[in-house]
Amino acid sequence: MSVNQQAHTGLPYGQPQPGYQGYQQSGYGGQQMPGVHHSQYGAYNGPLPGYQQPAPPQGTLRAPPTSGAPLPTSGAPVPAGQPVYSQFGQGDVQNGIATSAVQMQRPSASQPFIPGTAPTPVSQPATFQQYGPPPTSAQQLTNHMAGMQIGSSTSAPPPAGLGYGPPTSVPPTSGSFTATGSGLYTSYSSSQGPPPVTMTHGLPPTSLSQGLSLAQPAFSGPPLSAQRLPQAPGFVPPPCSTGIGPSSYPPTTGAPRPSTMQGSQLPGQALTGLPTSQPNHVSSPPPHPSMSGPAMTGLQGPPPPTHPSQSGYQMQQNGSFGQVRGPQPNYGGAYPGTPNYGSQPAPPPPPKRLDPDSIPSPIQVIEDDRNNRGSEPFITGVRGQVPPLVTTNFLVKDQGNASPRYIRCTSYNIPCTSDMAKQSQVPLAAVIKPLAMLPTDETPPYLVDHGEPGPIRCNRCKAYMCPFMQFIEGGRRFQCCFCSCVTEVPPHYFQHLDHTGKRVDFYDRPELSLGSYEFLATVSYCKNNKFPNPPAFIFMIDVSYNAVKSGLVRLICEELKSLLDYMPREGNMEESAIRVGFVTYNKVLHFYNVKSSLAQPQMMVVSDVADMFVPLLDGFLVNVNESRTVIVSLLDQIPEMFADTRETETVFAPVIQAGMEALKAAECAGKLFIFHTSLPIAEAPGKLKNRDDRKLINTDKEKTLFQPQTSFYSNLAKDCVAQGCCVDLFLFPNQYLDVATLGVVPYQTGGTIYKYAYFQLETDQERFLNDLRKDVQKEVGFDAVMRVRTSTGIRATDFFGAFYMSNTTDVELAGLDCDKTITVEFRHDDKLSEDSGALLQCALLYTNCAGQRRLRIHNLSLNCCTQLADLYRNCETDTLINFLAKFAYRGVLNNPVKTVRDTLINQCAQILACYRKNCASPSSAGQLILPECMKLLPVYLNCVLKSDVLQPGAEVTTDDRAYIRQLVSSMDVAETNVFFYPRLLPLTKVDVDSDTLPAAIRNSEERLSKGDMYLLENGLNIFVWVGVNVQQGLIQNLFGVSSFNHISSTLNTLPVLENPFSKRVRSIIDMFQAQRSRYMKLIIVKQEDKLEMLFKHFLVEDKSMSGGASYVDFLCHMHKEIRQLLS
Amino acid sequence: MATYLEFIQQNEERDGVRFSWNVWPSSRLEATRMVVPLACLLTPLKERLDLPPVQYEPVLCSRQTCKAVLNPLCQVDYRAKLWACNFCFQRNQFPPAYAGISEINQPAELMPQFSTIEYIVQRGSPTPLIFLYVVDTCLEEEDLQALKESLQMSLSLLPPEALVGLITFGRMVQVHELSCEGISKSYVFRGTKDLTAKQIQDMLGLTRPVVPVQQGRPLQPQEQPPISSRFLQPIHKIDMNLTDLLGELQRDPWPVTQGKRPLRSTGVALSIAVGLLEGTFPNTGARIMLFTGGPPTQGPGMVVGDELKTPIRSWHDIEKDNARFMKKATKHYEILANRTAANGHCIDIYACALDQTGLLEMKCCANLTGGHMVMGDSFNTSLFKQTFQRVFSKDFNGEFRMAFGATLEVKTSRELKISGAIGPCVSLNAKGPCVSENELGIGGTCQWKICSLDPSSTLAIYFEVVNQHNAPIPQGGRGAAQFVTQYQHSSTQRRIRVTTIARNWADAQSQLQHIEAAFDQEAAAVLMARLGVYRAESEEGPDVLRWLDRQLIRLCQKFGQYNKDDPNSFRLSDSFSLYPQFMFHLRRSPFLQVFNNSPDESSYYRHHFARQDLTQSLIMIQPILYSYSFSGPPEPVLLDSSSILADRILLMDTFFQIVIYLGETIAQWQKAGYQDMPEYENFKHLLQAPLDDAQEILQTRFPMPRYINTEHGGSQARFLLSKVNPSQTHNNLYAWGQESGSPILTDDVSLQVFMDHLKKLAVSSAS
């Protein structure tokens, strides 16, 4: 119930939402009616299965149309209803189907299972069939009917529309829904009958049906019912589906999931409704073809009842779209509404509610991928291969293309022409993480030394030797795979070719056989034609009053003493070549001379912050081991020296300048670690004022909150990049400190920002120290330039991430660590050919931590297509979301947030509409059809839209938003994935004896049980949510306190307790911490505690406090958008 | 009082004053016709063994515009306990403390022998002396080491309560905090940026920060030590610290590439030193001691770029207006010098380098503040070491021969007005009734500030007789002048030294002989020279020479006895006889001739000329030449080429150089080693005699002269040859080959030619 209430609060989509609410409520009401629920579930399941079905795409696709067809037929019998149906048919048919499917599912669940043999996820039709055959289904139907009636009775009084709006109205709406639902159900059965037939006819039934089912539920009545269903019965069905699953479903939890499974089998088709189809399939043992058959049967089965039901069915369909209006009063009335659907897509989003279980589930998709692709290594030899999801653990074998750990693309099949690309609106982008860390069982890139003349390169485009270069003329020349230019092979590199035209030394040379490798750069690749000096780390510590008082200064100094021994070193070197320097500052800067020959450190104060300079050269940057005693003495003294400070003002820009100047003077690249506490208000360049103004939110000026206050920092960043000075910023603010401005330099120099708001030694120490350690120790390249070369036809046009660009092609990075990604967007400048495909070569020139200049090369070959379907079959939604998020987050700098959001929605709608139009077989407009590999696009996109940057809640500070904005900009795909759709694990289901994690669950409060504990992780925070009814034993085991009430919500670590449960939970947390580049903050949330609000913020499938739509609502909205585009 | 000579000498002994005229022409018109202005050389702190200071405040005339000090020239009514001011004739009551005075019980200041008297006054709390070392670190290792040792040594010479501070500079400027334990701390400034005093004080944290009011924490400003304490500490407290700090001083670590000069931020370093003292100890005695080993090469006050291929400016460049940094740099240092002077601090410059160091631009720092200027080749020479040591020399009372923050006020009787002063001082812009409108030197004021002075510091003070011709002064009337010098003694006492002198008036028409007889040609020569040198600072050299010549000719016309147009009849009286000769040598001196001198050297010479007392000044104008030979005891000989004989040893003292020159024969004997043979012990003694005498001079002179030991034909002999009157040159062949001296290869005119021309011009009716 509470969930529903929440839903009420925010109504992003206006009408639909109320409707949803209504649904929910109604659903609750409905819950009471078990039958209804069942039916609803069925409906949901139906759609889901539909998704799965994609395998038999045509069939399913057509199914909707078929359903449409039936509608008219049905219409004939029931005039009013029929038209509705017909309209629905297109859109609603699915719904109808879905609902039916839902119904079916339940019954099917029980029964289907028996038949469950049906391996192929034929699709909805199948489900219908199943329903049809099994008596249970019939029963369900009846139940539904009953429910419907009840609902109808209730609904009758309140007009559907009313119901949607206000919660109060909800009850009636719910009633209406139920009514509609019931009607639908009945209709489903009937309608199902027909659709299945079509389905069978359907060429690729799976996809279609799926799509249909999904779409319909969302919009039409069925969804409503579905919602109800999910709550109670919905869960039940899943097992059924699993039962069914054996074919593909088994793994999937709910019936809906199975659909996904199928989807995976049939990539393009994955649409909604799979679950239903699944059940169908289940029922119908025969494979796809058989599916059709069964569908038929199913249809047949229902039909008898259907005729009446058909009308009802129509009603349902209507309901799904228009029912709300018309249908509720009367089905007949509903039908009239339906015409509206046809004519006016806008009104359609009716109050009906989708069953959350029936819509594509990220968890399901992740699970499926993990199960299907996690077991065997991903071998990169084949062009245009879509890698497993980022959430899947898999081993990569480099056989000529770069590992997906280095490069992931939004699509592995690129449209041949720009027209196609434009039409699809699918962004072509690669997310590149050039220095990514590989798991220990994968080999790091080999180092290739081509000697004095440097790496072999194409004469014209300067591409580096790679596996795609074609050797000709017996190996005397090679033709560039990027620009086709022919280049002489230098004598020292000559090698004979074998009979296949491959060089004899093919396997001996990484640059000929692998996707990723490194070249040793020659002196001509170095600045000023001089080999670089080893880089330096400079630690710059704020010693103003706040920093000293909070104990931060002491903490840092203590930590540095040991941390200095763990700086990154190259390969097997004994000690790190990196030199270190120390600066403290408040309003002035203090440099330290820690030359090894000194008896004690020397402090040099520079007060001239207006014109910063480095007061010393010799002795500032030192080798740790040589100067250890002096350094230790210094670190001991710093906290003492400033113990009595009263200086509260700080400077900031001069600090960076100082570091940069120091590196310049030492003629090396390096990294600054700045520990900063407050807004720099002291008189100095880069002085800032407090300009935080929440009133700007949702105005055209909101963008100014993300823009730097002054251009000073941009210029400074430019200088830093020129010097190879990377800035890592650790912030400890107690109030606004303008991250948007302070972050400019770290951002543009490839640095990282860490933020610890209201830093307290006890609670934040561990997190900070872990971050610091990781940051200091991680591998990093300096003074880097990255260039992405592409084969003729496309070209890198836009770049996202933390770097600086002085021209349009070279990405300049003062520093680049193993966690940073650069997202590159490509556009066509010519035609591509299917034969040759498209090639990317990312070359990163950098100085490694030993001061060696290197080139890291990543190559990736992609397919090209002339059919849009191929494009949609080879997309990677996670990468897509990564790109879209970065695109949007950059957009807020210059556009009102609202515009950015609309653009995002619009683009996705276009992507999906294009698919619907070009790839999906014709179906009713009311159907939402999603490409299999993009079926999570709506849910993820919704998460992006709801994120703090694009839709801030009241508790989100301006700094937080700026912080997250920059953070996301350099995230890799795995990080954005979990950041936008957090991982939620039921802790109480943890198996203490095994290493496997419990199955994740979807991010919705409905999924939480009072008796369970959950762990939620998004890459920045870890929440442990404790339900009020959790067993005392578990509480005792995990928290060491006797009852729920004794758990302290201020805990930030779990107590170390010697019992298997505690150990296991802690080890899971530790494991998660290790997976992320930042140490996550652990927050214990007790149900109904005030912190729960914060936690709920991350239940991204729910409606958010700040007005973000729930998944279901958003899906409906998306559908509406698509329909608008299509009409 | 037998002769004027004795009178003059006596006066100088007692009062440290030498007037150009000791009988004053009584009207303005006549005075101007005297050519040489009425002026005096005043040595305010002339050492007086017989002058015990009195421990009370001087009694002042009660007239606000006068405030002259009670002196022996005042008329006193012992019964009425009244005294009449001899300058303004105001009648003043004696203060109560003088109730007991009578003719026989006179206070010291009324006794005639106390025309100069010194008072010790208690005003304010005594502040310790301050020594702020500003040390260049762009030195060769050897030089730096020597300098460090000198500095460390100097710590032991300072009074223990004195505050010391340390600023080092090279590419950067570092102000060292001296009281740090565990970690040595310094404030660093960029050497290229000029900072205002306010900025410097802010950056050094010298302005008291607005202490943020912490809740529940009452302010306790008392607990804060004096803000300046971080940089200036009593020597006895941080002796060890500072010694270590100096010991650890490293050469400027910034790399100097081939063909470059090190970047030296002298301008900023000085600016910071000035700013530091300005903010913390205004108006207390303080010495900024700048040690520099080369020219400032960056930032404000830079004198030359860091490219070695561009040489530092020469006189030639300056004449051609080709010294691109000079004006700006000069301005920078002038501003600094004026600020320093306003605060009563002084700047010493110790410049040791083979090349120029920019003294030309920096000279005002020492000139305006009374600081020392020392020029040497290296810090590792005895010249520098001993000179530096001598800065801290003590007098017979065991007190440092330095005084700080002095103001000199001059009061005159109504017939006189003050035209100006030339010396190591700045104007205090004190207008008054006795200030003349006609300025000579630093004029327009009757008060000057002399931030630092020592017992030999001498100012030239120029007067103007304003009495109108038609208002004769009654017979026996005397003109008077009073010099009141208030200063901080090195013992930190405030003292006031008052000198009151009086001279007779004479009617120049009827009593010209008196005036003529009372002419002090030595003082006049120096006073005229100072005027000339002062002009030379701002005017073209030839103009100054012409001016000098004209003055000389006019003087000869006025006081010579001759028949018109008959040069041979020209005679000058004894009291004028040497004057033309002084002028001859002055014209040839490095003070007016820049040929063969670098601009730095000229500045150096002029600096010293403008502050030394009469004797030393005369030596500078006309070096002294002694002859040592077997023919008799050492004797002074003419500074003439004819004095250079083969069998003589010559000792020349030019103030800046001591030259010992062995005649040709002597040199041969020495080479033959006769001095080592017992039978020629007298030769050994002969050789030794000038050495001993030279040593004596070296011991006493500040700055220590360059000591040159040379012989006939030696390259260093040029020092001697350039000074002597070239009576024999390659041009007057009649003397060639005779045993009458050694010819000088020069086109310069000899004294004889000079005199001939002078006579001719003097007697010419045309002029």
Side-chain angles (χ1 to χ4, degrees), chain A residues 545 592 600-608 610-618 634 637 641 646 665, chain B residues 172 174 181-190 193 195 203-204 211-212 214 217 219 223 248 253-255:
Chain A
Y545 180 74
Y592 296 93
Q600 60 184 32
Q602 290 177 351
M603 174 190 197
M604 305 178 101
V605 184
V606 173
S607 329
D608 187 6
D611 195 5
M612 193 33 71
F613 62 94
V614 183
L616 76 170
L617 185 61
D618 194 21
L634 171 66
Q637 287 187 60
M641 273 192 293
R646 291 187 182 177
Chain B
M172 310 278 169
Q174 275 176 274
E181 293 298 331
I183 188 165
S184 65
K185 190 170 172 184
S186 59
Y187 282 68
V188 189
F189 295 82
R190 187 189 275 265
K193 189 175 172 190
L195 299 163
M203 289 179 186
L204 289 175
V211 181
Q214 302 289 341
R217 196 169 169 189
L219 291 180
E223 74 188 23
E248 279 198 0
W254 299 86

Side-chain angles (χ1 to χ4, degrees), chain A residues 525-583:
Chain A
Y525 289 83
C526 302
K527 215 180 259 179
N528 303 327
N529 272 332
K530 253 172 67 183
F531 279 117
N533 290 322
F537 282 177
I538 304 179
F539 297 91
M540 318 185 89
I541 306 167
D542 180 350
V543 290
S544 66
Y545 180 74
N546 282 337
V548 173
K549 201 187 80 180
S550 65
L552 180 63
V553 173
R554 189 173 294 277
L555 179 68
I556 294 169
C557 290
E558 276 307 312
E559 180 63 22
L560 284 183
K561 278 191 232 167
S562 51
L563 193 52
L564 292 178
D565 289 328
Y566 296 100
M567 290 185 303
R569 62 190 93 170
E570 171 61 19
N572 47 8
M573 284 173 65
E574 287 251 323
E575 60 179 42
S576 175
I578 293 173
R579 290 175 296 164
V580 296
F582 302 89
V583 171

Side-chain angles (χ1 to χ4, degrees), chain B residues 411-426:
Chain B
K411 299 175 191 308
T412 56
S413 48
R414 329 187 136 160
E415 304 85 2
L416 278 184
K417 283 198 173 183
I418 303 152
S419 295
I422 296 177
C425 61
V426 288

Side-chain angles (χ1 to χ4, degrees), chain A residues 381-395:
Chain A
V382 182
R383 187 172 83 184
Q385 229 184 161
V386 183
L389 296 183
V390 285
T391 43
T392 302
N393 271 326
F394 59 100
L395 189 71

Side-chain angles (χ1 to χ4, degrees), chain A residues 153 231 249 325-326 333 365 416 497 524 737 752 860 929 993 1079:
Chain A
S153 66
Q231 291 178 345
Y249 301 106
R325 298 179 178 176
V365 172
C416 278
L497 307 184
S524 56
L737 51 52
T752 314
L860 184 63
I929 305 180
D993 297 326
Y1079 197 81

